[in-house]
Amino acid sequence: MNRPIEFHHPVMCNEVVDLLGNVPGDFVIDATLGDGGHAEALLEYNSNIVLLGIDRDASAIERSYKRLSHFGDRVKFVEGRFANIAEIAMESGFGVPAGVLFDLGVSSPQIDEPERGFSFSASAPLDMRMGEAKISARGFIESVEFGELARVLREFGEVSHPGRVARAIIEMRDKTGVETTEELAKAVKNAIPNCRNADLARVFQAIRIFINDELTELRRGLSAALDELIPDGVIVVISYHSLEDRIVKRFFAGEEKGCICPPELPVCRCGHLPRIRRPFRKPMRPSEEEIRENNRARSAKLRAAVKI
Ligand SMILES: C[S@@+](CC[C@H](N)C(=O)[O-])C[C@H]1O[C@@H](n2cnc3c(N)ncnc32)[C@H](O)[C@@H]1O
């Protein structure tokens, strides 16, 4: 089992500071404040920056407050979802943002606190809620039908045998109940011979993404952040799995395009204009040294866009 660390290690922090530390305005939003590692680096790097930190998880707000409160009124903390970034930014009174950071997923303390139920490495009640998500993982498994569970596992975890795994979970639920992370892991192991940690991780990821509606949040958050930014403002997104990265890549590619009419139309009817440019196309990856020091960085992909 991983030993809990004091604070989450911010991933690709130098790259984030390079991209957001000198944006053409003072107001930066950290839409996924977590333990405030990226926020701290930005506030230290550029003493003109004022930062609005948003997190849907109350414990993240508490932890980052401890780390960042010495910056005084240069930082504001809001417990909320980044899909509501426009309203939250307006209420902050900081004006119009010049940079927005999304560092997606869960933080190390969230994973390491067994009682949150995010991890299969420790037995705990199946919860997995971030903030005010409507239903816990346990509640979801208690009421879900086979077809829906198989869909969630396939769509949100790209689980290789979703039907088999869904059947094993439902069988265990109906016989003895699935109330803990350990029981969920056992059901998955029953379904997948030679089950690896990566297989378990995909099942846990699928259920977490579904109950927290993470992909809808991401689509809404990206779109609202782009609407909010000043011209030449920058969005930076760090994602940790292909579902998130695909959404970010498609969103940026779509917003970078001019005309989106079907090719057979001789004259443009859509009037769509490019809204961003991408400073680099291929996602940045953490250095090998960073991955050696922080294993949780290994799957990170960083993409950025500059508003036109
Ligand atoms: C990887 S951590 C961020 C770590 C942070 N960059 C740091 O340096 O400590 C991701 C954070 O995003 C938060 N989060 C996830 N989805 C969110 C959403 N839709 N709105 C706001 N916060 C969200 C999680 O609660 C978690 O604290």
Side-chain angles (χ1 to χ4, degrees):
M1 197 177 93
N2 282 336
R3 280 189 30 225
I5 54 170
E6 203 196 336
F7 279 126
H8 174 88
H9 291 294
V11 169
M12 303 185 75
C13 198
N14 294 337
E15 291 83 347
V16 168
V17 171
D18 283 347
L19 288 159
L20 290 174
N22 297 301
V23 282
D26 296 338
F27 174 24
V28 173
I29 300 180
D30 185 338
T32 51
L33 186 61
D35 274 7
H38 288 116
E40 181 179 56
L42 285 165
L43 288 158
E44 273 173 0
Y45 172 78
N46 179 342
S47 58
N48 291 322
I49 285 182
V50 293
L51 185 134
L52 169 63
I54 303 173
D55 203 294
R56 70 190 290 182
D57 191 315
S59 72
I61 297 287
E62 247 171 61
R63 293 170 66 86
S64 55
Y65 183 79
K66 283 190 194 133
R67 187 175 198 168
L68 303 174
S69 57
H70 68 280
F71 289 104
D73 55 13
R74 289 179 62 206
V75 200
K76 289 188 181 166
F77 303 82
V78 174
E79 183 187 337
R81 290 183 291 115
F82 56 56
N84 301 326
I85 200 167
E87 296 79 356
I88 298 174
M90 200 172 73
E91 280 166 17
S92 75
F94 275 155
V96 185
V100 181
L101 170 66
F102 295 88
D103 177 24
L104 301 170
V106 277
S107 67
S108 306
Q110 287 171 323
I111 294 176
D112 290 336
E113 274 170 40
E115 62 274 20
R116 303 295 301 268
F118 286 117
S119 167
F120 51 82
S121 328
S123 185
L126 258 185
D127 193 318
M128 301 198 201
R129 274 174 296 191
M130 285 198 252
E132 73 314 333
K134 287 187 208 86
I135 191 170
S136 67
R138 178 181 162 183
F140 167 65
I141 289 177
E142 264 167 14
S143 56
V144 71
E145 289 178 3
F146 166 76
E148 171 72 346
L149 180 55
R151 180 187 73 82
V152 166
L153 297 176
R154 189 176 53 248
E155 268 182 35
F156 300 124
E158 300 178 314
V159 171
S160 45
H161 301 289
R164 219 195 289 165
V165 175
R167 197 164 298 114
I169 294 173
I170 297 237
E171 265 173 29
M172 182 183 279
R173 174 194 75 188
D174 292 345
K175 274 192 202 144
T176 57
V178 180
E179 295 179 0
T180 64
T181 50
E182 197 178 18
E183 285 160 358
L184 176 59
K186 198 168 162 212
V188 179
K189 287 178 191 161
N190 290 344
I192 305 181
N194 306 319
C195 178
R196 297 159 309 150
N197 279 353
D199 299 312
L200 291 173
R202 282 172 178 274
V203 172
F204 275 65
Q205 172 194 300
I207 296 174
R208 190 200 86 209
I209 289 180
F210 178 76
I211 67 163
N212 292 295
D213 205 9
E214 290 179 36
L215 302 185
T216 310
E217 272 290 312
L218 177 56
R219 289 191 193 93
R220 291 195 184 144
L222 288 173
S223 165
L226 181 57
D227 289 346
E228 285 307 292
L229 275 181
I230 59 169
D232 293 325
V234 180
I235 303 184
V236 173
V237 190
I238 307 175
S239 56
Y240 296 87
H241 56 76
S242 54
L243 294 170
E244 287 170 344
D245 184 56
R246 213 173 294 147
I247 290 173
V248 181
K249 182 177 164 185
R250 285 190 186 153
F251 176 75
F252 284 172
E255 296 296 343
E256 192 181 41
K257 264 195 199 160
C259 171
I260 48 171
C261 290
E264 58 277 13
L265 275 189
V267 185
C268 170
R269 294 242 179 94
C270 68
H272 190 268
L273 294 173
R275 295 180 74 208
I276 62 153
R277 63 182 170 76
R278 284 183 281 181
F280 46 89
R281 261 154 204 280
K282 276 192 147 186
M284 284 185 185
R285 303 293 320 274
S287 66
E288 285 184 11
E289 190 189 346
E290 176 169 359
I291 295 172
R292 259 198 311 279
E293 281 169 12
N294 178 13
N295 189 38
R296 284 181 181 157
R298 70 192 180 283
S299 54
K301 285 187 178 167
L302 183 153
R303 294 186 187 270
V306 180
K307 184 162 171 175
I308 293 176

